[in-house]
Amino acid sequence: MAAPSITTRTVEDGLTLAENIGFTEGPVWTTDGRLFVTSVSRGALYEVFLDGQPAVAVAETGGGPNGMTLGCDGRLWITQNGGEAMPTRSQLHTTPSIQVWDHHAPAAPRTILSENVHAPSDCAFGPDGALWFTDPNGHGFGDAALPGRVWRYDPAADHATVILDDVFFPNGIAFGTSPEHLYVAETARDRVRRYVVTASTATVDHDFPEITVPTPDGITVDARGGLWVAGSKSGTVTYFDPAAQLREQLAIGKGTMPTSVCFAGAALDRLIVTVAKGGRVLAFAVDTPGLPTPPAAVPIVSSPAQPEELQ
């Protein structure tokens, strides 16, 4: 059988929506049609515009805001590394935590959870209404890599549970087209795995091929179940079809460090890419639109297993 064809595009095939706004991460498209990103190095959130208007700083989080997602409550939820990943310009002291910010109101971001976390990296709301987030234990590679954790935080109960504690540099996280499928980027092992999850467990889905990609960072899933992966050190963003076959590459450039991805636009047919070098936010047209964020509510099956709980 012939190998699947691979399409390659470059920065010239997309649009530059913003630049020079720091170490960009965590892009989010809201249900009211707005695009926000984090600036890890500035301890701030920016609004970015699809029509080319200059990006605007809209909130100071302090520390190092990393991943971000839209919550079921309409607020933006932020994984805050507390300035552990890199120096920050912000003078606002913040510890590693989960923060929330209402983009409809002038109030500052608020800390929701800060106990027992190392340096939260990325997050996604599940169809169970819970926030699932990755929490690396350092940012080492090879022999220097330490096992990190994946948490599930239930906002209604104000309760957090460790779901995985054996992922080396857990990073990007996204739910698939089926509510029980969770994708996690394991940056220090150069792979993305799919897990089958319950309300308290996650097991590797051995029916799905492990995706091998250099230093995977942020990830997002499209409406067909295809997966876009930002490869930070590789300088590329790669697309894998629902069968985990490589189909497309966006060659952002060596040393540019693409950090994360999301879908934007009224039809969710633009792929947004945050790029650390130059503090950029890029947009590329895509054929298959993304999944809505947050996902529609569907209960995730409970399990009798009781992993470590947050004290």
Side-chain angles (χ1 to χ4, degrees), residues 89-105:
R89 284 189 187 180
S90 175
Q91 299 300 305
L92 180 62
H93 176 71
T94 307
T95 59
S97 60
I98 301 298
Q99 298 174 304
V100 294
W101 180 64
D102 186 349
H103 65 284
H104 300 105

Side-chain angles (χ1 to χ4, degrees), residues 108-277:
R110 184 164 63 94
T111 296
I112 293 293
L113 169 70
S114 61
E115 294 183 26
N116 294 346
V117 296
H118 295 299
S121 180
D122 208 347
C123 55
F125 267 87
D128 57 349
L131 180 77
W132 297 64
F133 68 93
T134 53
D135 186 20
N137 185 9
H139 299 87
F141 292 86
D143 293 340
L146 298 173
R149 298 176 293 193
V150 174
W151 294 81
R152 177 184 181 271
Y153 173 69
D154 181 351
D158 188 23
H159 182 76
T161 305
V162 175
I163 301 297
L164 292 168
D165 60 5
D166 59 352
V167 187
F168 289 81
F169 197 161
N171 206 335
I173 187 169
F175 276 86
T177 53
S178 297
E180 73 275 13
H181 288 158
L182 177 70
Y183 296 85
V184 178
E186 191 171 12
T187 303
R189 294 293 182 262
D190 293 330
R191 65 187 178 187
V192 178
R193 281 176 156 180
R194 190 169 80 181
Y195 292 83
V196 177
V197 300
T198 69
S200 58
T201 64
T203 55
V204 175
D205 185 355
H206 294 293
D207 292 330
F208 184 79
E210 184 176 289
I211 290 176
T212 301
V213 58
T215 58
D217 199 331
I219 59 178
T220 193
V221 179
D222 69 20
R224 293 178 55 238
L227 184 71
W228 287 95
V229 182
S232 55
K233 290 189 177 180
S234 70
T236 62
V237 176
T238 47
Y239 176 68
F240 297 86
D241 68 18
Q245 294 292 311
L246 175 61
R247 294 293 187 177
E248 185 170 358
Q249 288 187 333
L250 304 178
I252 308 301
K254 184 177 180 180
T256 57
M257 205 168 191
T259 58
S260 197
V261 283
C262 81
F263 292 97
L268 297 179
D269 57 357
R270 300 192 200 184
L271 184 74
I272 303 301
V273 181
T274 49
V275 181
K277 185 175 182 179

